[in-house]
Amino acid sequence: MHRMFVPGPVDVADEVLQAQAAPMLPHRSKEFEAIYRRASEKAQQLFLTQYRVFLTASSGTGLQEAAIRNFVDKKVLSCVNGAFADRWHEVAASNGKETEKLAFEWDQPVAPERVADAVKRGGFEAVTVVHNETSTGLVNPVKEIAAAVRAAAPETLVLVDAVSSLSGAKIEMDAWGLDMVLTSSQKCLALPPGLALGAVSDRAMEKAAKVQNKGWYFDLVRMEKHRLKDSSPATPAMSLIYALDKQLDRILAEGLEARFARHSAMAKRVQDWAEAHDLNMYAPAGFRSQTVTTIKNERGWEVSALNKFLLERGMRIANGYGALKNITFRIAHMGETQMADIEALLEAMEEYLKQG
Ligand SMILES: *Cc1c(COP(=O)(O)O)cnc(C)c1O
């Protein structure tokens, strides 16, 4: 039974939790290097990439910062239509980069033609975009955005935050021409928090080799030298890598297409339920997330009281994020959550509504 209908951290399978209990090894040992290599290779399949996948001992925000420090010397375009995109923009600004914010209404997707117009003006080394905005439950058309950028300014790198969607929705890194795709362990991957995964294209690595002041810890050029020897410059988050190795086996055994279809079916079930209660989704049709549904609280339900009721039954949903608190609430359906779990949640919510 899964009970965390919040967009991370989510429930972790018992066998994955237990994988963390394996004994420590010297990190520069053949035994650990073999685990590191096989986890990285399996991870490539999730990103649908032939390129490298870095594993860092950080949450996803660490890789947002790594992306800025490695791929941007001076100037970046930040596409912003939600809280996490806004954070990435702040990360760029706080690293001293010149960053232009291309802002959209939060209930509207990033428009590829506006991104193209902006990059045509020149000088942008990279564009940042969030694939699945966890605050709004909106999916940006990353494939179309990447194509628009390639056509308008071929040298500009496309950097994508897929923290709450990778492995729950199909993101074809290579086919779409993405230069970096990053994610965290505690969301769709259904692992404990503390690990981030980032896939990086060759041309992005070439750019990184030319960028100054990358810092030390997140210098991807340094990491790449070690990665080629199945290692990392500093001590890796070993227990989390044991868990990743196990969880990737489970994900690949389910099958990626089956996993995407499961997420899509759960999203549809939750959307249909909301509509049956005359509630609208925050994101417009065609741009709704497969992993988290943000519902407009148009009937003025008291989200904290609802959650208290759910908690007594061992479940929890999420309130709206930041400025969307109480105006919206969110039901996450990601990771190992199954349709039966969603049915149990919706049943409990019905029970709450009946008692008035
Ligand atoms: C959760 C989240 C982040 C932040 O990730 P951390 O792992 O908490 O650092 C960034 N982007 C998106 C889209 C998220 O959902």
Side-chain angles (χ1 to χ4, degrees):
M1 175 66 205
H2 294 271
R3 59 205 165 82
M4 297 279 271
F5 301 94
V6 299
V10 301
D11 295 301
V12 179
D14 281 341
E15 62 171 330
V16 174
L17 284 174
Q18 276 152 24
Q20 295 180 104
M24 294 304 122
L25 292 161
H27 63 289
R28 307 213 190 281
S29 61
K30 285 280 161 276
E31 299 98 301
F32 185 72
E33 284 165 7
I35 297 168
Y36 201 77
R37 179 171 57 246
R38 76 174 182 249
S40 320
E41 283 171 359
K42 283 181 283 193
Q44 283 178 302
Q45 299 182 47
L46 296 189
F47 289 86
L48 295 166
T49 188
Q50 54 152 340
Y51 296 122
R52 63 202 60 67
V53 177
F54 293 109
L55 309 176
T56 60
S58 70
S59 75
T61 309
L63 282 183
Q64 283 190 337
E65 184 147 293
I68 297 297
R69 297 197 68 128
N70 281 271
F71 307 132
V72 181
D73 229 339
K74 294 198 176 66
K75 202 168 161 195
V76 58
L77 183 74
S78 312
C79 302
V80 177
N81 63 340
F84 290 104
D86 208 33
R87 179 185 296 183
W88 210 353
H89 171 253
E90 270 178 42
V91 165
S94 63
N95 275 285
K97 310 297 177 182
E98 195 185 316
T99 166
E100 186 174 315
K101 186 175 186 171
L102 187 64
F104 297 84
E105 295 301 328
W106 281 24
D107 60 357
Q108 292 302 316
V110 168
E113 57 284 1
R114 281 190 54 205
V115 181
D117 287 345
V119 294
K120 259 186 222 150
R121 283 187 272 110
F124 292 108
E125 295 156 272
V127 171
T128 63
V129 62
V130 170
H131 174 252
N132 190 80
E133 251 305 343
T134 317
S135 55
T136 58
L138 186 148
V139 174
N140 282 309
V142 165
K143 179 185 180 187
E144 289 75 15
I145 294 165
V149 171
R150 280 295 166 100
E155 70 292 352
T156 302
L157 301 176
V158 179
L159 313 177
V160 177
D161 169 329
V163 168
S164 58
S165 49
L166 194 98
S167 89
K170 195 170 194 172
I171 300 169
E172 298 181 69
M173 168 152 174
D174 293 1
W176 298 358
L178 312 179
D179 292 292
M180 183 179 195
V181 178
L182 63 95
T183 197
S184 305
S185 53
Q186 79 278 14
K187 296 195 182 168
C188 229
L189 288 177
L191 287 161
L195 195 68
L197 289 77
V200 177
S201 73
D202 283 346
R203 66 177 206 143
M205 290 307 296
E206 284 160 24
K207 169 74 184 181
K210 292 183 236 143
V211 172
Q212 299 300 307
N213 299 318
K214 293 189 283 287
W216 201 97
Y217 195 69
F218 286 114
D219 178 347
L220 298 180
V221 175
R222 175 181 277 106
M223 271 190 218
E224 175 71 354
K225 285 194 194 116
H226 286 264
R227 193 194 63 83
L228 292 168
K229 294 179 286 178
D230 303 314
S231 176
S232 55
T235 315
M238 205 172 259
S239 307
L240 284 167
I241 289 168
Y242 296 157
L244 173 68
D245 184 37
K246 171 63 79 182
Q247 176 64 351
L248 288 171
D249 285 340
R250 299 176 82 252
I251 291 174
L252 296 172
E254 178 179 14
L256 286 179
E257 292 298 337
R259 192 172 172 87
F260 301 146
R262 173 166 60 80
H263 282 80
S264 167
M266 292 190 294
K268 182 167 187 309
R269 178 71 181 97
V270 171
Q271 290 168 18
D272 288 348
W273 175 86
E275 278 166 357
H277 285 277
D278 288 326
L279 297 174
N280 289 295
M281 266 38 78
Y282 188 81
F287 298 95
R288 289 178 187 154
S289 169
Q290 282 189 199
T291 59
V292 56
T293 297
T294 301
I295 300 170
K296 289 192 202 171
N297 189 14
E298 287 158 319
R299 311 212 14 211
W301 294 342
E302 211 183 304
V303 181
S304 59
L306 168 59
N307 235 345
K308 187 164 168 283
F309 180 90
L310 293 173
L311 270 172
E312 284 159 7
R313 285 147 187 84
M315 301 180 230
R316 69 175 84 210
I317 61 168
N319 205 325
Y321 190 94
L324 298 178
K325 191 171 174 187
N326 296 325
I327 310 171
T328 64
F329 60 92
R330 294 173 296 164
I331 298 178
H333 27 79
M334 63 173 71
E336 296 310 300
T337 302
Q338 305 294 322
M339 188 63 95
D341 304 317
I342 293 292
E343 295 299 350
L345 172 73
L346 297 179
E347 205 174 294
M349 287 178 68
E350 288 296 338
E351 202 186 318
Y352 171 80
L353 293 173
K354 262 190 216 112
Q355 68 162 29

